[in-house]
Amino acid sequence: AWAAVATSSGSASASSLSTRKYRTSSHNISNQGNELQLCTMSAQRAHDILKHMQTTFEKQQQQIEQRQLHHYGYDHDNDYNFNLHKSNTNTLIQPNQQSFMIILKAWAHIATHNSSNNNHKYNSSSSSSSYYNHNHKQHTKTNLSTQVATRKAHQTLLWMDYLSRSNKNKLATPTIVAYTTVIDSFAKS
């Protein structure tokens, strides 16, 4: 999922976590065998890239609006420059439905994957308190990660709705798949 968002963003270097640090961190985490932390970190990285894409798109939209205002306010006779600019709007970095769904599915995957791994059966042959303490701590950590991932999926859905309703990004309009993805992560968390 991270690679798909990274390639569609164009410039991922502006995110809070540099690509170099991300690679180093993910390599260290994978060596430790902590899949949950790696998945969470990857989802957060993808989320950061999506935020950067949306911010860039909003800035580009503002620049277009300013150019249109300037064009219509001062230069009614020169339609060539305005039409030339309109033809370059294909280079906008506008997150679309697929971009948002990648993020939603990443958070939902963490939530549903953690909850399915959370069904530990008690081994009756190992009734020591150390077994209980170890599994209790792991269970608590997993529950917290599941709750965070579910909350992030829900926040992403709300963000999509806000962007669509405020006309900041009409391509962010949540679909039934987006809603059911979040509902599923709540149901399984």
Side-chain angles (χ1 to χ4, degrees), residues 52-68:
H52 177 70
M53 287 174 65
Q54 181 61 34
T55 302
T56 302
F57 173 68
E58 289 175 21
K59 287 178 185 175
Q60 289 173 332
Q61 286 295 99
Q62 288 174 349
Q63 290 171 351
I64 290 171
E65 289 171 10
Q66 288 172 354
R67 287 182 186 141
Q68 287 175 346

Side-chain angles (χ1 to χ4, degrees), residues 26-38:
S26 62
H27 177 71
N28 291 340
I29 291 168
S30 65
N31 285 342
Q32 296 169 359
N34 194 342
E35 183 183 343
L36 170 63
Q37 191 174 358
L38 179 60

Side-chain angles (χ1 to χ4, degrees), residues 105-123:
K105 288 179 180 180
W107 289 123
H109 172 75
I110 294 168
T112 57
H113 181 70
N114 286 342
S115 64
S116 66
N117 287 342
N118 217 9
N119 298 328
H120 301 292
K121 290 189 176 181
Y122 178 72
N123 184 353

